Amino acid sequence: MRQLLVFAERDDAEEVAETLAEWFPLLGMPVVVRETLAGEDDAEDAQWLVVVEGLAEEHLAKVDALAEEREGWRESG
């Protein structure tokens, strides 16, 4: 299942992606993308997403804790 980690800052998203690549090397490097909402007037408010594929259920709590350290959160997608 795809997991999306959401962050306000690009640096946070990139650092989390690097950490996940170290923790779970078989999954490869997660993709970092900028999410702009439809009708968004100010692109500065866009969120940064770390897209992770194939993460095992037993690792979700660890990933959640990592995201929360950077003031982010996880969504299943």
Side-chain angles (χ1 to χ4, degrees):
M1 176 174 271
R2 175 181 293 165
Q3 304 297 323
L4 304 175
L5 304 178
V6 185
F7 301 93
E9 301 295 328
R10 180 181 185 169
D11 290 344
D12 292 330
E14 289 176 344
E15 288 181 27
V16 167
E18 290 174 11
T19 299
L20 292 174
E22 291 172 10
W23 287 357
F24 310 108
L26 296 178
L27 298 180
M29 182 68 169
V31 177
V32 176
V33 295
R34 191 158 196 191
E35 176 189 52
T36 54
L37 303 174
E40 181 115 15
D41 292 333
D42 188 1
E44 294 297 317
D45 292 335
Q47 296 172 322
W48 290 91
L49 304 178
V50 177
V51 182
V52 185
E53 298 275 355
L55 198 59
E57 187 80 24
E58 64 263 18
H59 298 299
L60 295 181
K62 184 176 180 178
V63 172
D64 288 344
L66 177 63
E68 288 173 11
E69 286 176 15
R70 299 286 184 172
E71 298 182 14
W73 66 91
R74 178 180 55 86
E75 295 180 1
S76 296

